[in-house]
């Protein structure tokens, strides 16, 4: 009888322990669910402009700011990365994802990457090199190193007059071909925008011109080739896009948008009467209803071309008509710094005040 009583007692104890463990597990699941719900109320805390937007292969949205680093949104909450976490700088010019799912940031001071766990810095604008801080090899500029492949990532090189190319293993600094400088200007050929085009072409916009590289040689567009006088109406490229039709759009800070179709280049803004008669064409504040200071250009899935003007809001060109969207269309300000279309065909606009809007085809709706 004693053995039987002991066995019954042991079974009773095990049953009670299992019941308590199951209850605690359920409580943990409830608490976890409650925490997940509360994080959904989190909102973007950036107050500086949104300069870059990316949707990665997992569906997360990445937002790069002018002064506060990066925020990633997973559909419920935001996670933040900045220089305190290891980024080379808090001003994020562009965001890309490589074939391994690593996220790359082109900052004001160099290039950083994030694998979901840690940040690695690969290049600084001053070309410093260290095996500890910069794990990817950086080669010195040699003209013969210019080459390209389908898996390349390309980055601005800060104030350097050239670019960084990442081929999946090495980060190479590549210098542009020497060009005649029509008058002195610091960092004249520092890169301000990059666009992957058709026919194996990649375009690099710089303050004083555009360089197109096809793997064999360069196409160069600058004040000299265009016959512009830098003292009167200089090129000052701030954005560049080759669209799905092979047209090249170059947004300037002052003289508006230049459009290259085939071998012909026109001033698109002048053609559509979007340069004000009193414009100084050198970066001074422009009037409403103009397209003179274009800091971002994008194409949507329907072939519309979108422009973000520094002073005059957002513009859409449908091939025939120009439409202007400003604060009257529910925007909080008239300065869009980034435009991005996600995998659902929805357009996102990053504004100078740190707000982000989506466009549903008719109206703008503030997201964060």
């Amino acid at each position: 009888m004693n053995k039987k009583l002991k066995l019954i007692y042991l079974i009773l104890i095990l049953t009670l322990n299992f019941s308590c463990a199951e209850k605690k597990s359920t409580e943990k699941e409830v608490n976890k669910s409650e925490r997940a719900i509360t994080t959904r109320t989190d909102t973007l805390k950036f107050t500086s402009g949104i300069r870059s937007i990316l949707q990665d292969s997992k569906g997360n949205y990445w937002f790069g700011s002018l002064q506060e680093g990066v925020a990633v949104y997973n559909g419920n909450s935001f996670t933040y990365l900045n220089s305190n976490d290891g980024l080379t700088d808090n001003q994020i010019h562009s965001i890309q994802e490589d074939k391994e799912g690593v996220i790359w940031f082109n900052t004001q001071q160099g290039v950083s990457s994030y694998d979901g766990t840690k940040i690695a810095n690969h290049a600084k604008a001053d070309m410093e090199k260290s095996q500890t801080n910069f794990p990817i090899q950086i080669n010195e500029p040699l003209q013969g190193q210019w080459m390209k492949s389908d898996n390349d990532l390309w980055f601005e090189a800060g104030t350097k007059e050239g670019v960084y190319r990442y081929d999946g293993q090495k980060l190479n600094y590549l210098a542009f071909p020497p060009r005649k400088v029509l008058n002195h200007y610091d960092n004249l050929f520092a890169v301000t925008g990059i666009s992957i085009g058709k026919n194996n072409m990649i375009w690099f916009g710089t303050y004083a011109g555009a360089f197109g590289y096809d793997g064999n040689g360069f196409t160069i567009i600058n004040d000299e080739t265009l016959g512009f006088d830098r003292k009167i109406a200089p090129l000052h490229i701030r954005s560049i896009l080759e669209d799905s039709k092979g047209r090249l759009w170059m947004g300037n800070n002052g003289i508006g948008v230049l459009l290259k179709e085939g071998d012909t280049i026109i001033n698109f803004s002048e053609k559509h009467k979007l340069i004000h008669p009193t414009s100084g064409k050198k970066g001074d504040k422009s009037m409403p209803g103009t397209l003179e200071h274009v800091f971002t250009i994008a194409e949507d899935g329907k072939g519309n071309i979108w422009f973000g003007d520094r002073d005059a809001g957002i513009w859409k060109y449908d091939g025939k008509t120009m439409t202007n969207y400003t604060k009257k269309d529910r925007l909080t300000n008239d300065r869009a710094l980034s435009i991005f279309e996600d995998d659902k065909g929805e357009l996102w606009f990053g504004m100078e005040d740190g707000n982000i809007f989506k466009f549903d085809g008719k109206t703008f709706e503030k997201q964060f």
Side-chain angles (χ1 to χ4, degrees):
M1 289 295 292
N2 288 338
K3 290 182 179 181
K4 288 183 179 180
L5 286 173
K6 288 181 179 179
L7 181 60
I8 292 171
Y9 181 77
L10 180 61
I11 291 172
L12 180 61
I13 293 297
L14 290 173
T15 302
L16 288 172
N17 286 340
F18 179 80
S19 175
C20 291
E22 186 177 31
K23 182 178 179 182
K24 288 181 180 178
S25 176
T26 303
E27 287 176 351
K28 286 182 179 179
E29 291 300 318
V30 171
N31 291 336
K32 182 179 178 181
S33 175
E34 287 175 351
R35 285 196 297 271
I37 291 172
T38 59
T39 58
R40 290 175 189 161
T41 63
D42 192 10
T43 188
L44 186 64
K45 64 181 182 181
F46 288 160
T47 56
S48 61
I50 307 300
R51 180 157 180 175
S52 52
I53 303 174
L54 172 77
Q55 182 185 28
D56 67 23
S57 57
K58 298 177 182 178
N60 300 309
Y61 290 92
W62 297 79
F63 305 108
S65 72
L66 275 176
Q67 299 175 10
E68 300 160 276
V70 177
V72 56
Y73 180 62
N74 63 8
N76 293 320
S77 60
F78 288 91
T79 302
Y80 297 88
L81 301 172
N82 55 45
S83 58
N84 292 330
D85 303 301
L87 288 179
T88 52
D89 191 71
N90 284 330
Q91 184 174 145
I92 312 299
H93 290 192
S94 66
I95 309 173
Q96 302 178 69
E97 181 180 13
D98 69 19
K99 61 181 181 179
E100 304 298 330
V102 176
I103 307 299
W104 292 75
F105 310 105
N106 200 163
T107 79
Q108 176 75 3
Q109 296 296 328
V111 181
S112 300
S113 65
Y114 179 62
D115 63 4
T117 302
K118 63 182 182 301
I119 293 173
N121 292 326
H122 308 290
K124 285 188 175 181
D126 59 5
M127 292 298 291
E128 289 179 2
K129 290 185 289 185
S130 163
Q131 293 299 320
T132 302
N133 296 324
F134 310 106
I136 294 178
Q137 178 184 352
I138 305 171
N139 292 332
E140 292 296 337
L142 294 173
Q143 200 58 49
Q145 290 177 347
W146 274 95
M147 61 184 69
K148 65 191 299 295
S149 70
D150 292 339
N151 293 322
D152 291 336
L153 297 182
W154 297 85
F155 304 96
E156 303 168 16
T159 58
K160 291 283 185 179
E161 297 184 351
V163 295
Y164 291 120
R165 169 183 175 253
Y166 177 60
D167 62 7
Q169 294 182 325
K170 300 186 301 296
L171 197 71
N172 297 289
Y173 170 69
L174 305 177
F176 290 134
R179 300 304 303 167
K180 177 182 177 182
V181 178
L182 301 188
N183 68 327
H184 178 71
Y185 187 87
D186 291 337
N187 309 318
L188 199 63
F189 296 111
V191 173
T192 56
I194 301 173
S195 177
I196 306 296
K198 302 170 72 69
N199 301 317
N200 205 39
M201 184 70 83
I202 181 169
W203 290 95
F204 306 99
T206 76
Y207 290 113
F211 294 84
Y213 178 66
D214 63 3
N216 296 308
F218 288 89
T219 299
I220 298 172
I221 302 169
N222 61 12
D223 293 291
E224 184 180 14
T225 63
L226 294 172
F228 287 2
D229 186 344
R230 286 197 66 80
K231 295 180 181 179
I232 299 174
L235 275 176
H236 194 263
I237 296 175
R238 296 305 304 264
S239 55
I240 193 165
L241 170 75
E242 183 179 324
D243 67 18
S244 58
K245 296 179 180 179
R247 300 175 297 183
L248 182 67
W249 304 84
M250 294 169 279
N252 288 267
N253 184 18
I255 63 173
V257 177
L258 300 184
L259 171 60
K260 180 181 185 298
E261 292 189 85
D263 295 326
T264 302
I265 299 177
I266 65 167
N267 190 310
F268 178 83
S269 295
E270 284 185 350
K271 178 182 177 181
H272 288 268
K273 297 180 172 34
L274 299 177
I275 300 290
H276 196 273
T278 63
S279 173
K281 299 182 179 180
K282 292 184 180 179
D284 50 313
K285 184 174 176 58
S286 56
M287 301 292 289
T290 59
L291 187 64
E292 299 176 355
H293 309 280
V294 182
F295 280 52
T296 182
I297 308 175
E299 180 181 17
D300 67 23
K302 297 178 181 178
N304 300 309
I305 307 299
W306 293 82
F307 309 96
D309 189 274
R310 189 196 67 188
D311 302 324
I314 296 165
W315 289 85
K316 181 182 79 170
Y317 177 59
D318 64 7
K320 295 181 180 180
T321 306
M322 291 289 289
T323 305
N324 189 203
Y325 301 96
T326 62
K327 287 190 288 186
K328 64 178 173 51
D329 300 288
R330 300 171 63 182
L331 295 170
T332 50
N333 71 86
D334 292 335
R335 299 185 178 187
L337 301 180
S338 54
I339 305 171
F340 177 80
E341 185 176 41
D342 66 17
D343 59 9
K344 296 179 182 177
E346 296 180 319
L347 285 170
W348 296 70
F349 296 84
M351 310 302 290
E352 189 190 48
D353 58 7
N355 290 317
I356 296 174
F357 287 81
K358 278 205 301 188
F359 184 68
D360 64 7
K362 294 182 179 180
T363 60
F364 288 86
E365 181 179 351
K366 186 175 179 294
Q367 299 300 300
F368 312 113

